[in-house]
Amino acid sequence: MKKELIVFIPSLQIGGVEKNFFILTNNLSKRLNISVITSTSKIKNNLNRNIKLICPNISFIEKLSMRLRFLICLYYLFKKIFLNPKAIVISFQGNMYSVFLCKLLRVKIILRLNSSPIGWSKNLFKKFIYIIGLKLADGVIVNSKKFKYQIRKEFN
């Protein structure tokens, strides 16, 4: 089977994560087979034609809660990995969900962190889960040196 890159971004709004997502995905699509798993098909026009878009065919998906959309997209991620176990995943959102699923299925995963966990990391259980998730990931992408320093300091 041919290597494939699966990009996991369950929910798209407007902002920095999305800008990074479009730039990275469209540039990598020139050299790799890419599938994007998301809960919205509205982004199709912003992606190169050779990128495969995988999203639920449910008209009311945008009205569902964020967590429910993440779970639906995780199902699609599981299905995609099951069909191509040599795939590599880049997760732009839902990082802990996707990292645990990928490690369970023995698939490489790269996380793109987009928000500082410092505020909610005072909860010891959440901090513990986050530390495990970061250590299980095969790579971590952050968007600034300051953020990189925070992650290293707080989570080693």
Side-chain angles (χ1 to χ4, degrees), residues 27-50:
N27 282 325
L28 288 175
S29 73
K30 296 170 187 169
R31 288 172 263 157
L32 297 168
N33 290 332
I34 295 184
S35 294
V36 172
I37 297 174
T38 186
S39 64
T40 180
S41 62
K42 294 175 185 175
I43 64 166
K44 189 153 185 80
N45 293 336
N46 297 39
L47 295 173
N48 289 350
R49 286 179 288 152
N50 56 339

Side-chain angles (χ1 to χ4, degrees), residues 50-113:
N50 56 339
I51 295 174
K52 182 178 181 187
L53 186 64
I54 301 169
C55 59
N57 192 11
I58 304 170
S59 60
F60 58 89
I61 190 92
E62 297 292 326
K63 293 181 173 98
L64 298 176
S65 72
M66 185 76 77
R67 242 185 216 132
L68 196 51
R69 283 190 274 164
F70 274 38
L71 289 174
I72 292 168
C73 287
L74 274 175
Y75 165 74
Y76 282 95
L77 180 61
F78 173 80
K79 211 166 127 178
K80 187 70 178 162
I81 291 170
F82 191 76
L83 294 172
N84 189 353
K86 294 188 184 284
I88 297 171
V89 175
I90 294 181
S91 177
F92 278 80
Q93 296 171 325
N95 291 332
M96 295 308 118
Y97 301 118
S98 56
V99 77
F100 291 125
L101 176 64
C102 287
K103 289 297 126 181
L104 184 67
L105 298 174
R106 297 183 181 159
V107 170
K108 289 187 178 194
I109 182 165
I110 300 167
L111 305 179
R112 193 275 186 187
L113 302 182

Side-chain angles (χ1 to χ4, degrees), residues 7-42:
V7 180
F8 184 74
I9 185 161
S11 178
L12 276 159
Q13 290 97 26
I14 299 192
V17 175
E18 291 72 19
K19 188 188 269 186
N20 290 163
F21 159 72
F22 287 120
I23 291 169
L24 183 69
T25 306
N26 284 327
N27 282 325
L28 288 175
S29 73
K30 296 170 187 169
R31 288 172 263 157
L32 297 168
N33 290 332
I34 295 184
S35 294
V36 172
I37 297 174
T38 186
S39 64
T40 180
S41 62
K42 294 175 185 175

